[in-house]
Amino acid sequence: MRGSAFLLATLLALPAFAQEDSTTDRPAASGIIEDGPRFEGAIPVELRQDASGVWTMYRGGEPYFIRGVGGTTYLDRAVDAGANSLRTWGAGEAIALLDDAHERGLSVVFGLWAGQERQGFDYNDANGVRAQLARFREVVRTYKDHPAILMWGLGNENDLFYTDLKVWDALNDIAEMIHQEDPNHPVMHVTAGLDVAEVQLIMDRAPAIDVYGINTYGELVGGTREFRSYGYEGPSVGRQLRRAGWDGPYVIAEWGPDGHWEVPRTTWGASIEQTSHEKARVYRLRYERGIAADTTHSIGSYAFLWGDKQETTPTWYGIFTPGGYETEVLDELQYLWTSEYPDNRAPALTEYTANGQDRYASLTVEENERITFEATVTDPDGDDLRYEWELLPESTDIRAGGDAEDRPDAIDIAVVRRDDGTLVMRAPRGEGPYRMFLYAYDGNGNVATANFPFHVGPVPTQTAAR
């Protein structure tokens, strides 16, 4: 089994890539073995719709509402926070953590990374399509009886920048194969947001898909302007999905802060990121109004990202920062899942200005000009705070679909004065866009984060007009 795991991991590794009444009881970690073989047989998963139209997932015969995290790190912390499931994107990473997840009572969405047109996969290549199905068949046969598996996560955002509708035929063939090989686990496909055309295409050309998965951020639920969040302000995704004709169960397969494509921009085109405090507030709002509130078709969600990564910035999507420091978002997730906050909570960064202006002001300065950054940070436990400042040039390696990006190298800060939440500095000698990042640590593994975009020198005309 270990030899097969190594081979398959090599072949199929993923590309680089509430209110108190909204919580659900954490299921017992059934099937765990203290000693001996860890593969003890599948825990059957069923999807049932009752006479009133309500969908429920059952695992091992018991109702199972997904309180999931999107990521493969910090498994013990996920359990402590009340999570019961992990989402993976490719077979390699799923294989690597099945045992560890199962030992902790965590289920796993086993990712099968279906080839994407935008990454060069051709669904008109019959040989390539057959080879992909054959690889997935081998994976399913090998791992279908592992007790950690909750669902097969077939493909992720194959609708992103695509034109060939044959992708849906291929995904349907794979889903049918999975049903033939494995009667115990449903198949989920995940789209990039929600589009009526894709809903109807999946219903028509890929009817073997059991669960509709959606990666959605600002569009998860409307009404977020109260938090200065500029996401979508229409009906919730669940309501839109039913209006488009899907009456089956669905999962919010990624959700979190406003996406970098959804927010206001500076005059030179830089996306303005929410602070960790603002993110915590929208995570809670979106869970309560968009996930827990749908009591008929939602079977759970996966908060993104359980870890950290560079995507537009180093802090945009990570619930953690490098080194494992926890942001205020995690506090809110734990409350939503358990009705209790952690014993020690993260600091809250409630205000961040530069030269007295906020992040939406499109601040421009001259080379070597003095800039004063000021932040207001409070700690709910009264912990002493340590402040770190980091200056980065604006990232130029912006990719689509979560593909791996390179982090810009930090620039030396010409410090004039530094005093806790205040930094006075000289602007860099070099025209262009920058961001000043602030990290406020509480000494107990928690951090507050924010960044401020600014531009040195005049904004180029073609950039300003964008």
Side-chain angles (χ1 to χ4, degrees):
M1 183 63 71
R2 294 295 182 187
S4 297
F6 176 80
L7 174 61
L8 290 168
T10 302
L11 291 173
L12 295 159
L14 171 71
F17 112 69
Q19 298 157 315
E20 291 189 5
D21 61 1
S22 72
T23 59
T24 57
D25 293 334
R26 183 169 182 267
S30 51
I32 295 178
I33 304 167
E34 296 298 332
D35 299 301
R38 294 176 177 176
F39 293 86
E40 187 63 10
I43 300 176
V45 177
E46 298 177 82
L47 300 166
R48 305 179 195 167
Q49 187 178 33
D50 66 18
S52 62
V54 175
W55 282 98
T56 303
M57 172 180 281
Y58 289 83
R59 185 171 188 244
E62 298 295 327
Y64 194 87
F65 188 79
I66 300 168
R67 300 188 306 276
V69 298
T72 60
T73 57
Y74 310 117
L75 302 191
D76 290 331
R77 187 66 187 92
V79 173
D80 291 342
N84 62 7
S85 191
L86 307 171
R87 182 189 171 199
T88 66
W89 285 258
E93 62 180 7
I95 291 166
L97 61 73
L98 285 175
D99 288 351
D100 289 341
H102 181 55
E103 288 172 353
R104 291 163 173 79
L106 295 166
S107 67
V108 176
V109 170
F110 195 118
L112 298 172
W113 186 266
Q116 297 198 354
E117 185 177 331
R118 68 182 179 83
Q119 295 177 333
F121 193 93
D122 183 3
Y123 279 93
N124 283 297
D125 177 1
N127 290 332
V129 170
R130 281 194 298 268
Q132 176 172 255
L133 187 147
R135 290 196 302 271
F136 289 164
R137 186 186 298 275
E138 183 180 2
V139 172
V140 172
R141 284 179 174 174
T142 303
Y143 291 97
K144 64 185 176 65
D145 292 327
H146 196 293
I149 295 176
L150 181 69
M151 290 188 289
W152 298 99
L154 173 57
N156 180 72
E157 298 190 352
N158 288 85
D159 59 318
L160 188 62
F161 307 132
Y162 86 118
T163 58
D164 192 349
L165 300 183
K166 290 181 181 178
V167 62
W168 306 117
D169 304 327
L171 292 178
N172 191 66
D173 289 343
I174 298 169
E176 288 183 342
M177 174 274 293
I178 293 173
H179 290 313
Q180 293 166 3
E181 299 285 348
D182 178 13
N184 290 311
H185 302 107
V187 178
M188 175 176 70
H189 175 68
V190 178
T191 60
L194 186 64
D195 185 278
V196 172
E198 264 65 60
V199 176
Q200 294 175 347
L201 282 166
I202 289 173
M203 292 171 61
D204 293 341
R205 301 181 70 153
I209 299 296
D210 304 298
V211 178
Y212 203 112
I214 310 164
N215 294 339
T216 182
Y217 293 84
E219 292 189 346
L220 173 54
V221 63
T224 54
R225 282 190 186 273
E226 64 189 271
F227 294 157
R228 199 166 190 175
S229 166
Y230 289 77
Y232 178 73
E233 291 203 39
S236 68
V237 159
R239 187 171 299 176
Q240 294 179 65
L241 188 58
R242 289 192 285 281
R243 286 180 179 176
W246 181 270
D247 191 43
Y250 72 92
V251 167
I252 303 299
E254 285 181 20
W255 64 282
D258 286 359
H260 57 270
W261 63 93
E262 297 174 314
V263 296
R265 295 176 180 266
T266 63
T267 55
W268 56 92
S271 300
I272 300 172
E273 181 177 347
Q274 295 165 311
T275 67
S276 56
H277 180 63
E278 292 166 342
K279 292 174 187 176
R281 298 181 76 189
V282 297
Y283 268 84
R284 180 163 179 171
L285 177 142
R286 287 171 181 159
Y287 188 89
E288 290 179 338
R289 296 188 187 178
I291 296 169
D294 189 343
T295 58
T296 62
H297 290 71
S298 170
I299 57 173
S301 66
Y302 290 89
F304 189 83
L305 167 74
W306 193 256
D308 68 273
K309 68 179 297 193
Q310 166 71 33
E311 189 168 356
T312 302
T313 76
T315 56
W316 201 294
Y317 296 99
I319 295 169
F320 298 79
T321 62
Y325 294 97
E326 302 173 6
T327 66
E328 194 178 351
V329 168
L330 201 157
D331 295 353
E332 291 300 330
L333 288 174
Q334 180 163 329
Y335 178 80
L336 293 166
W337 291 335
T338 69
S339 300
E340 295 181 355
Y341 283 110
D343 292 337
N344 189 276
R345 295 171 60 183
L349 195 159
T350 55
E351 188 174 7
Y352 189 27
T353 62
N355 291 347
Q357 301 182 69
D358 68 18
R359 290 163 292 140
Y360 301 89
S362 293
L363 176 67
T364 60
V365 296
E366 298 301 320
E367 294 181 72
N368 206 40
E369 180 180 336
R370 182 175 293 199
I371 313 174
T372 300
F373 293 95
E374 295 179 286
T376 301
V377 188
T378 59
D379 188 88
D381 309 291
D383 296 329
D384 292 333
L385 299 175
R386 174 175 61 86
Y387 296 84
E388 288 188 1
W389 304 84
E390 184 178 41
L391 179 61
L392 299 181
E394 184 69 27
S395 175
T396 57
D397 187 25
I398 305 298
R399 301 176 184 265
D403 291 354
E405 299 176 3
D406 290 329
R407 187 185 196 275
D409 293 328
I411 297 172
D412 290 338
I413 301 173
V415 176
V416 176
R417 178 172 59 86
R418 183 182 309 174
D419 180 19
D420 291 338
T422 299
L423 171 71
V424 183
M425 60 167 279
R426 294 287 183 181
R429 294 184 180 274
E431 294 185 352
Y434 298 86
R435 288 183 193 253
M436 177 58 75
F437 289 77
L438 172 59
Y439 302 85
Y441 299 92
D442 70 353
N444 288 289
N446 303 306
V447 65
T449 67
N451 65 75
F452 198 113
F454 66 98
H455 197 282
V456 176
V459 177
T461 303
Q462 64 270 27
T463 301
R466 192 166 59 184

